Amino acid sequence: MKYGLGTLAMLFSMHSMAADLRVAVSANFKPVLEHLAEQFKKQTGHKVSIASASTGVLYNQIMHGAPFDLFFSADQTRPLELEKKGKVLPDSRKTYAIGRLVLWDRNTDPKKPFTLDQLKDWKGKLAMANPKTAPYGFAAEQTLENLGLWQNYQGRLVQGANIQQTWQFVASGNVDVGLVALSQLSGEALKRISYVPDTLYDPIRQDMVVLKSTQNSKEARAFAAFVLSESSQNYMAEHGYHSPIK
């Protein structure tokens, strides 16, 4: 295919303007963000490179100068702390999703899923994320405390560094039951869960920020806006999140 000089100039200009955004994302949101990043690239030409870990680990990396453009946290605390420390661009902190916690037993009968009431008599191990670094782990700790079971499970908790590792403990069969993110499950797995009532843990409001160190502030804000768009929010709702947008 041959291009005229004008077309070549336009293509070169589009390519030169394309940014490579570096995004830090909490483990629970990585699969959804990967899809949104691909859609964003199709629409704008801007590539989004994703690094994933627990919220606490990513926060520490950012505080030590990790070169990210945006941070998608699994809580509000760390983005707020970054804002207080002058690490983010003004007015960039937004709630992009509200997470949902579920109890998952991969071996249970789909017609009779393992319930929260059964946790009272369960003698096996229970997987959860580390409550000190992962917001879903803190929500799991709150759930067990509100059920009066936190002390009962000491010595039987298998803690993942993040919610993705917690999911892997159960998915691999190393642990039968776990408190995981709804967004991690699909298909047959959804027949083997019990929803944890929102009243048992503080809302898992997940905030994002554009970091002041970015060299791509315009593109980073555009991606943040894309995540908050109606189409993106609808996709997120289909994959285990409540939308913060009324």
Side-chain angles (χ1 to χ4, degrees):
M1 181 179 296
K2 295 182 178 179
Y3 298 99
L5 291 177
T7 303
L8 285 172
M10 181 180 70
L11 290 173
F12 178 78
S13 176
M14 289 175 60
H15 177 73
S16 65
M17 287 168 35
D20 186 352
L21 295 174
R22 299 158 299 180
V23 176
V25 59
S26 177
N28 77 93
F29 195 64
K30 181 185 177 184
V32 172
L33 192 66
E34 286 176 333
H35 171 82
L36 298 181
E38 187 61 31
Q39 298 304 308
F40 183 71
K41 182 181 178 181
K42 289 179 180 178
Q43 293 186 24
T44 67
H46 301 313
K47 180 182 177 182
V48 180
S49 298
I50 295 173
S52 178
S54 71
T55 288
V57 167
L58 292 172
Y59 171 82
N60 288 332
Q61 289 177 356
I62 292 168
M63 289 300 299
H64 285 86
F68 296 119
D69 297 298
L70 299 99
F71 174 36
F72 286 82
S73 176
D75 67 3
Q76 292 186 304
T77 303
R78 272 76 164 206
L80 181 59
E81 284 300 310
L82 290 172
E83 186 177 61
K84 290 178 178 178
K85 295 178 186 296
K87 298 286 187 180
V88 308
L89 292 183
D91 303 319
S92 69
R93 184 169 60 87
K94 307 288 184 183
T95 300
Y96 67 91
I98 301 174
R100 303 174 68 185
L101 190 69
V102 296
L103 181 66
W104 178 36
D105 177 3
R106 66 186 298 273
N107 297 315
T108 193
D109 183 346
K111 297 180 180 179
K112 298 179 180 180
F114 195 87
T115 67
L116 288 175
D117 284 341
Q118 288 175 274
L119 276 180
K120 298 174 183 178
D121 299 318
W122 175 246
K123 302 302 181 183
K125 295 180 179 180
L126 177 69
M128 60 174 280
N130 185 342
K132 294 182 179 180
T133 59
Y136 281 84
F138 182 64
E141 179 181 353
Q142 286 184 311
T143 296
L144 293 175
E145 286 181 339
N146 285 324
L147 290 173
L149 299 176
W150 179 246
Q151 292 301 323
N152 294 352
Y153 274 90
Q154 297 309 299
R156 293 190 288 138
L157 293 174
V158 181
Q159 293 188 7
N162 53 55
I163 197 63
Q164 182 62 23
Q165 188 177 56
T166 306
W167 173 88
Q168 290 173 344
F169 286 150
V170 182
S172 66
N174 289 327
V175 183
D176 289 328
V177 180
L179 287 162
V180 301
L182 174 60
S183 58
Q184 295 174 295
L185 306 175
S186 61
E188 287 296 311
L190 292 174
K191 298 178 181 179
R192 293 178 167 86
I193 65 170
S194 289
Y195 292 91
V196 177
D198 295 343
T199 54
L200 292 179
Y201 59 92
D202 293 339
I204 308 174
R205 299 185 67 87
Q206 304 189 189
D207 280 10
M208 61 179 170
V209 288
V210 178
L211 298 167
K212 187 175 285 186
S213 58
T214 181
Q215 300 298 310
N216 304 297
S217 59
K218 181 179 179 181
E219 294 83 2
R221 285 187 182 276
F223 184 55
F226 178 78
V227 171
L228 293 176
S229 69
E230 183 177 358
S231 61
S232 295
Q233 289 290 309
N234 287 341
Y235 180 83
M236 290 157 55
E238 293 171 357
H239 290 79
Y241 295 93
H242 289 308
S243 173
I245 301 173
K246 303 298 183 181

